[in-house]
């Protein structure tokens, strides 16, 4: 700020994946929070104890303790199956994807097993499979077929670990 390489604008600053910031970024945030124009800062991460990016320093959420001491931490809960179903139904409606009730249930179960992001990502390939089969409405079988074509992040990581040296470094 003092060097003119950045400026503080009053308002709200939201940073997702905050564990990817390095010490210089955290130092800047600390200085920004001390400013008269300090923004409201919302930090989001899904990490527990991990190294602060670019260092070997371990800290909760990958955030330096001096900054973490200034934070109000809000505990979040995983979505229930019913909430996941509602979210997927809304997203399908927004994207114009018609789902049978059994397909919506199957997709919610896939999301509960993997992640909501992966479940929502399955809308497009499931819809394509449905249309390729001459149907306008996605069936539970379309969901199952799409789920066998792709890996969620955890399944992909598991495959790499199991395959050992089968992949290029």
């Amino acid at each position: 700020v003092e060097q003119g390489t950045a400026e503080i604008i009053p308002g709200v600053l939201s940073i997702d994946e905050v564990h990817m910031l390095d010490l210089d970024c955290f130092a800047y945030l600390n200085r920004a929070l001390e400013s008269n124009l300090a923004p409201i800062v919302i930090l989001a991460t899904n990490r527990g104890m991990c190294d602060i990016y670019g260092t070997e320093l371990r800290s909760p959420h990958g955030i330096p303790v001096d900054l973490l001491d200034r934070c109000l931490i809000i505990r979040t809960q995983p979505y229930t199956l019913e909430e996941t179903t509602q979210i997927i139904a809304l997203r399908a409606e927004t994207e114009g994807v018609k789902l049978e009730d059994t397909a919506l249930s199957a997709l919610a179960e896939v999301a509960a097993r993997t992640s909501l992001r992966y479940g929502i990502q399955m809308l497009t390939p499931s819809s394509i499979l449905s249309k390729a089969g001459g149907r306008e409405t996605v069936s539970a079988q379309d969901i199952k077929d799409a789920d066998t074509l792709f890996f969620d992040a955890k399944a992909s990581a598991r495959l790499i670990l199991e395959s050992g040296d089968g992949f290029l470094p």
Side-chain angles (χ1 to χ4, degrees), residues 2-23:
E2 294 86 22
Q3 299 169 356
T5 57
E7 74 177 292
I8 298 173
I9 299 171
V12 177
L13 172 63
S14 178
I15 303 173
D16 194 9
E17 306 291 346
V18 71
H19 59 272
M20 297 298 297
L21 298 182
D22 63 13
L23 283 176

Side-chain angles (χ1 to χ4, degrees), residues 102-140:
T102 56
L104 180 57
S105 296
L107 197 51
E109 288 173 17
V110 167
R113 176 177 47 85
T114 58
S115 69
L116 180 58
R117 179 176 291 159
Y118 178 77
I120 288 173
Q121 288 173 336
M122 288 294 96
L123 280 171
T124 300
S126 300
S127 178
I128 292 169
L129 288 171
S130 175
K131 288 178 180 154
R135 295 178 311 282
E136 289 295 317
T137 305
V138 175
S139 69

Side-chain angles (χ1 to χ4, degrees), residues 159-169:
L159 176 68
I160 290 170
L161 286 174
E162 291 169 0
S163 298
D165 296 332
F167 294 94
L168 294 174

Side-chain angles (χ1 to χ4, degrees), residues 12 16 23 25 29 48 65 69 75 77 79 88 118 142 152 166:
V12 177
D16 194 9
L23 283 176
C25 291
L29 278 175
V65 177
D69 284 342
R75 194 176 98 194
Q77 299 294 322
Y79 292 118
I88 292 171
Y118 178 77
D142 295 324
D152 66 285

Side-chain angles (χ1 to χ4, degrees), residues 52-67:
I52 297 171
Y53 187 78
T55 73
E56 293 182 13
L57 303 170
R58 288 190 69 72
S59 181
H61 314 294
I63 301 172
V65 177
D66 61 331
L67 179 59

